[in-house]
Amino acid sequence: MTSRSGLAVLALFAAVLVAAWAYRPPAEHHHRGADAVPPATPPGITLRLRTLEDRRAAKQILYADAHGMTLYARDADGADSSRDASHADSGPVAPGCAGDCAREWPPALAPAGASADGDWSLIARDDGSRQWAYRGRPLHRYAGDSKVGESGGDGADGGRWHVALYRPASGLALPDAVGVHDVGDAGGAVLTDGSGMTLYELDAPGSRRPPDCLARDCTREWAPLEAPEIAVPTGDFATLSREDGITQWTFRGRPLYTYRGDLKPEDANGAGIDPRFRPALVLRFFMPGGAEIRRNITLGAILATAAGATLYQRDLVINEERHEFRSDHGSPALGRSLGTAACDRECAHEWPPFRAPRDAVPGGYWDVLTRADGSLQWAYKGFALYTYAKDEPGQISGHEIHTLGEVVDDSGLGPARKRSGGSISANPADTYVPAGGAAAGLGISAMFWHAVAP
């Protein structure tokens, strides 16, 4: 006989599955409310995995330009060289970099129409162009870097130049019980509790006092983030004395909760379940128009088009480097090496490319590739994106389809250069070499299609 607790778990799981099937993170637009979530990256600034010689070192995410090249900031004379460009307290803006300096350290230029937002500001240069600055520090590339993810300029000029690292928690005053983690399913960097579980904020527009969650149907799914009775407000965090005697943390005036349907860190199953609750985002990831996060009963959160078509990527079968669907997207270097060559014009009849508009600008984890016919295509975390012609909206019938594919390379610059060009054509693509093997993507290979986790 099933216990009452078991029935409760089953009922909660069923509620997650039958809830509103589409979850849309905050849309990209120029005019937002005062309390809107700031962007992790502005137009033309991307996020990349840093290439480190020591593979045992912790992974680092850095800011890069639209071509994927690492960005740097320079310390002011006399500044503490141990601090990097992602820290809010890293000193005043460094002197301008022009002439010979600008040739060695080209500025990170903003696209036309870009505007300041959050920690991102714009600096007018003498030639009329505008340069991105992060927390007041102008950003530059390094002429000595030749590949995506390289950071050869780190520590240059006597330690004055530093990689601009992506650190979403930097500059935030956090209580001991709260952290910040990237949660792709939630569309950004979110607050988490001491166990790494996603936190949600309760919002009640028009209410004169902080909203509460005391009704039985609410407390069954949402647990308040409890604060010690002697908790001291810090930064944007304060406390709320609930009617049930619990002292609860609030963030920017909104009470914080965990969702009982989240089973492990980086779950965001509560997104879209209740319109009153939303993930407590501190930064939002770029999402191009026409793309969104949707929830599938089988796979959970996946990328899809606004019309409900599941988005797929084509990957190589590499026995030595298996990856889990939700926890490992696949090597971005492999995706860049394949480019659009993994699905040529004939292939595209069955797997239509996810097209990008002519004025598309890369941002965050999204790149823009150029196909052989000159059309533009979106790529996510290195892999070109496609839909499946046999899918109906909401279906995932293209998931885990295994095929043989041929990717030819006679250019000497990697397969993506021969067949596609792409947004990083000015910079040689990574050569992806699996453990103990030859360069990937050459000749006939076992390949497979799979849906894409955010």
Side-chain angles (χ1 to χ4, degrees):
M1 180 178 294
T2 305
S3 65
R4 289 187 177 181
S5 60
L7 288 173
V9 171
L10 290 174
L12 182 58
F13 183 66
V16 173
L17 298 183
V18 300
W21 102 281
Y23 164 64
R24 296 172 174 82
E28 292 286 332
H29 51 87
H30 295 293
H31 304 286
R32 306 190 312 274
D35 64 343
V37 180
T41 56
I45 301 296
T46 59
L47 295 171
R48 307 286 168 166
L49 182 65
R50 186 178 186 181
T51 302
L52 298 171
E53 293 184 3
D54 184 359
R55 295 193 176 188
R56 298 169 299 178
K59 292 182 178 180
Q60 293 182 331
I61 303 297
L62 47 75
Y63 292 110
D65 68 4
H67 303 295
M69 304 308 293
T70 299
L71 294 177
Y72 303 80
R74 186 173 62 172
D75 285 334
D77 292 340
D80 181 358
S81 62
S82 66
R83 294 179 294 189
D84 64 78
S86 65
H87 280 81
D89 62 348
S90 52
V93 174
C97 179
D100 290 341
C101 174
R103 281 185 283 275
E104 185 177 9
W105 301 92
L109 299 181
S115 58
D117 200 345
D119 289 328
W120 297 90
S121 57
L122 291 163
I123 298 173
R125 296 181 61 84
D126 292 341
D127 61 3
S129 62
R130 297 185 304 163
Q131 179 179 2
W132 281 119
Y134 179 66
R135 293 182 177 174
R137 292 199 163 220
L139 295 181
H140 299 258
R141 293 185 290 108
Y142 175 52
D145 288 341
S146 61
K147 293 183 179 180
V148 172
E150 285 187 344
S151 53
D154 197 23
D157 192 17
R160 289 187 176 88
W161 289 94
H162 296 284
V163 169
L165 290 175
Y166 166 71
R167 291 178 173 172
S170 178
L172 282 178
L174 299 171
D176 291 339
V178 178
V180 176
H181 289 89
D182 284 355
V183 178
D185 290 4
V190 303
L191 298 177
T192 58
D193 69 5
S195 300
M197 304 300 287
T198 298
L199 290 174
Y200 300 81
E201 54 188 22
L202 173 60
D203 191 16
S207 175
R208 292 189 177 182
R209 69 179 186 86
D212 212 337
C213 173
L214 292 172
R216 184 176 179 181
D217 63 338
C218 185
T219 57
R220 185 169 57 243
E221 296 185 351
W222 305 93
L225 179 66
E226 296 189 32
E229 291 185 5
I230 58 173
V232 178
T234 177
D236 291 323
F237 293 86
T239 59
L240 169 69
S241 296
R242 293 162 50 97
E243 295 179 7
D244 56 6
I246 293 175
T247 301
Q248 181 178 6
W249 282 113
T250 66
F251 178 62
R252 296 173 182 169
R254 297 185 176 96
L256 294 174
Y257 295 81
T258 55
Y259 178 59
R260 301 185 193 277
D262 288 342
L263 304 180
K264 62 182 185 304
E266 298 188 18
D267 277 355
N269 297 322
I273 292 295
D274 186 325
R276 298 172 299 173
F277 292 86
R278 63 191 181 196
L281 289 168
V282 296
L283 292 174
R284 57 183 169 86
F285 293 152
F286 168 77
M287 182 75 69
E292 60 190 34
I293 298 172
R294 293 209 171 207
R295 301 195 174 272
N296 178 271
I297 292 177
T298 303
L299 298 180
I302 58 176
L303 294 180
T305 70
T310 298
L311 289 172
Y312 298 89
Q313 68 183 48
R314 198 178 193 191
D315 211 337
L316 281 179
V317 177
I318 302 174
N319 292 331
E320 297 90 343
E321 299 192 6
R322 299 178 185 273
H323 62 265
E324 297 295 330
F325 172 70
R326 298 225 64 83
S327 61
D328 186 354
H329 179 271
S331 168
L334 172 59
R336 289 191 295 269
S337 181
L338 294 174
T340 64
C343 185
D344 60 15
R345 183 172 59 182
E346 182 178 351
C347 163
H349 291 300
E350 188 172 12
W351 298 91
F354 181 40
R355 306 287 185 181
R358 298 305 304 178
D359 60 351
V361 177
Y365 292 111
W366 293 79
D367 289 319
V368 180
L369 305 181
T370 304
R371 295 186 61 81
D373 62 4
S375 63
L376 301 184
Q377 177 177 3
W378 284 112
Y380 181 70
K381 292 187 177 179
F383 286 85
L385 296 182
Y386 304 82
T387 58
Y388 186 41
K390 297 180 181 180
D391 270 352
E392 295 292 334
Q395 290 184 340
I396 53 168
S397 56
H399 184 63
E400 295 287 1
I401 289 182
H402 287 70
T403 59
L404 289 178
E406 182 178 13
V407 182
V408 181
D409 174 27
D410 62 3
S411 66
L413 291 178
R417 306 287 75 76
K418 177 179 185 295
R419 302 282 286 277
S420 66
S423 67
I424 59 172
S425 59
N427 308 296
D430 309 56
T431 299
Y432 181 73
V433 181
L442 306 182
I444 297 177
S445 303
M447 307 186 77
F448 69 106
W449 294 90
H450 64 82
V452 183

